[in-house]
Amino acid sequence: MLALNITSSFQVSQFVLVCFPSIQSWQHWLSIPLVLLFFLAIVANITILMAMGREKSLHEPMYYFLGFLSVFDLVLCTATVPKVLGILCFNWKAIDKSVCFLQMYIMNCFLGMESNTFLVMAYDRYTAICNPLRYRSIMTVRFVRKALVFIILRSALVLLPMPVLAARLPYCSKNVVEHCLCTNVAVTSLACADPTINTVYQLVLGFGFMGSDLLLIILSYFLILRAVWKLQVEGAAAKAFSTCSSHLILISFFYTIISVLIFTNLLEKVIPPDVPILLNVLHNVLPPALNPIFYGLRTTEILQGVVKMIRKGRTNHKAR
């Protein structure tokens, strides 16, 4: 175990991330599936972004939002997974305090951006189905730019107090974090002052921020279902479901993992401590790895764009 690193003012300058406390002897084996998922996330998202950039048919609001999601996924997994792999493979457990709080901010901020993106995507689907004649006039490039500013600023400003409040706490002696990542609860539990404000802020943020996004998404789909039901046109429901299916899969996947993570944290006395740690790590790599596959395979235009890009690449390679 690494020794405590304490400055002359008895303030901890580094934290030690032990990852999985109960399986220290064989936790390095977890690096194998994690490396595969990380590689898949990087390759899949970059491929999707390249296809969207090259194919003009994908220069539409719906695909722009999927592109934003790919960028956010890339930042999220590259800010977290390499450090976890360093711990599992090379025992690089030490992390500078300032870097730890930066990781905390990036994790929460980009998860918030993903939640905001799903909300904007829900509005896009609502407009496409409930106001199809006005879709082009509403979903303009200007709207997409404003939506991107909303997504970034809302998350960046609302989630900034979390690492700031955590950094203001004094860390006097304990510096061993029983986690793979610098989560708010895991880090602030080591403080030699009451971290209640941080915990309350995180709870309020979880239910008020992502909770409001989820409620608005549910409301948008309720309105979509009501509009489709009123049409009473044969095949309308199937067409609407086909239009929204990729989005619904991504939303279900994203919020299901968050719900399971919250549930396991609430039952920490019943569930082994390594379970919520593993779920937290997977939440930073599973959605980035699987999101582009889900909407890539289920969205014909994106799949065709990727296939066309690969064929062009092969043709150019043979020409050389």
Side-chain angles (χ1 to χ4, degrees), residues 10-312:
F10 299 98
Q11 283 287 308
V12 171
S13 62
Q14 286 186 333
F15 292 116
V16 178
L17 298 168
V18 297
C19 233
F20 302 99
S22 304
I23 55 172
Q24 290 285 294
S25 59
W26 60 272
Q27 67 175 5
H28 56 279
W29 291 108
L30 295 174
S31 63
I32 297 173
L34 193 60
V35 166
L36 295 175
L37 286 171
F38 181 60
F39 179 76
L40 177 61
I42 298 298
V43 172
N45 283 288
I46 290 178
T47 302
I48 292 292
L49 288 171
M50 288 176 64
M52 288 180 178
R54 294 185 179 186
E55 295 300 320
K56 291 184 178 180
S57 61
L58 299 178
H59 295 178
E60 297 288 338
M62 181 177 69
Y63 305 123
Y64 284 138
F65 298 139
L66 291 173
F68 297 161
L69 195 63
S70 284
V71 173
F72 299 151
D73 279 340
L74 281 171
V75 175
L76 184 62
C77 65
T78 52
T80 55
V81 178
K83 179 59 183 177
V84 179
L85 290 174
I87 297 169
L88 298 178
C89 298
F90 307 107
N91 209 35
W92 294 341
K93 298 183 178 182
I95 183 170
D96 188 78
K97 192 164 69 170
S98 59
V99 176
C100 186
F101 293 129
L102 177 61
Q103 186 191 71
M104 183 189 298
Y105 179 61
I106 292 173
M107 280 193 299
N108 289 288
C109 187
F110 279 85
L111 283 174
M113 288 183 190
E114 288 195 13
S115 182
N116 291 341
T117 304
F118 288 132
L119 175 59
V120 175
M121 289 168 68
Y123 178 69
D124 172 80
R125 293 300 83 204
Y126 164 78
T127 307
I129 294 172
C130 298
N131 294 298
L133 298 178
R134 296 185 57 205
Y135 180 79
R136 292 290 178 183
S137 62
I138 295 173
M139 290 294 163
T140 61
V141 174
R142 186 178 180 183
F143 175 85
V144 173
R145 289 171 181 167
K146 288 182 177 179
L148 180 60
V149 172
F150 163 77
I151 289 168
I152 294 174
L153 286 184
R154 185 182 181 222
S155 298
L157 296 177
V158 173
L159 290 157
L160 182 60
M162 186 180 295
V164 171
L165 289 170
R168 287 173 61 87
L169 291 171
Y171 298 88
C172 308
S173 57
K174 295 186 292 183
N175 73 338
V176 178
V177 181
E178 294 189 349
H179 209 294
C180 298
L181 302 167
C182 290
T183 63
N184 182 54
V185 174
V187 173
T188 56
S189 64
L190 303 178
C192 47
D194 188 5
T196 302
I197 295 178
N198 297 70
T199 306
V200 171
Y201 188 80
Q202 182 174 4
L203 289 173
V204 171
L205 212 58
F207 289 102
F209 186 85
M210 290 191 178
S212 63
D213 285 353
L214 182 58
L215 286 175
L216 289 171
I217 290 170
I218 292 172
L219 175 62
S220 69
Y221 275 99
F222 170 76
L223 295 174
I224 288 171
L225 289 173
R226 190 178 68 173
V228 172
W229 181 262
K230 285 182 178 180
L231 285 175
Q232 295 184 346
V233 178
E234 186 177 352
K239 186 177 180 180
F241 179 76
S242 176
T243 304
C244 302
S245 59
S246 299
H247 184 227
L248 282 170
I249 290 173
L250 298 187
I251 290 170
S252 302
F253 190 52
F254 181 80
Y255 287 105
T256 298
I257 294 180
I258 288 181
S259 299
V260 171
L261 188 57
I262 293 172
F263 183 73
T264 53
N265 276 295
L266 291 174
L267 295 177
E268 58 181 354
K269 294 182 180 179
V270 180
I271 297 174
D274 291 333
V275 173
I277 295 173
L278 178 62
L279 288 172
N280 211 313
V281 172
L282 290 177
H283 191 225
N284 288 276
V285 69
L286 265 181
L290 300 182
N291 282 348
I293 295 175
F294 279 139
Y295 62 71
L297 292 177
R298 294 189 64 85
T299 307
T300 306
E301 292 81 3
I302 293 179
L303 186 59
Q304 290 175 345
V306 171
V307 171
K308 190 183 294 185
M309 182 187 70
I310 294 173
R311 285 177 178 172
K312 282 183 181 178

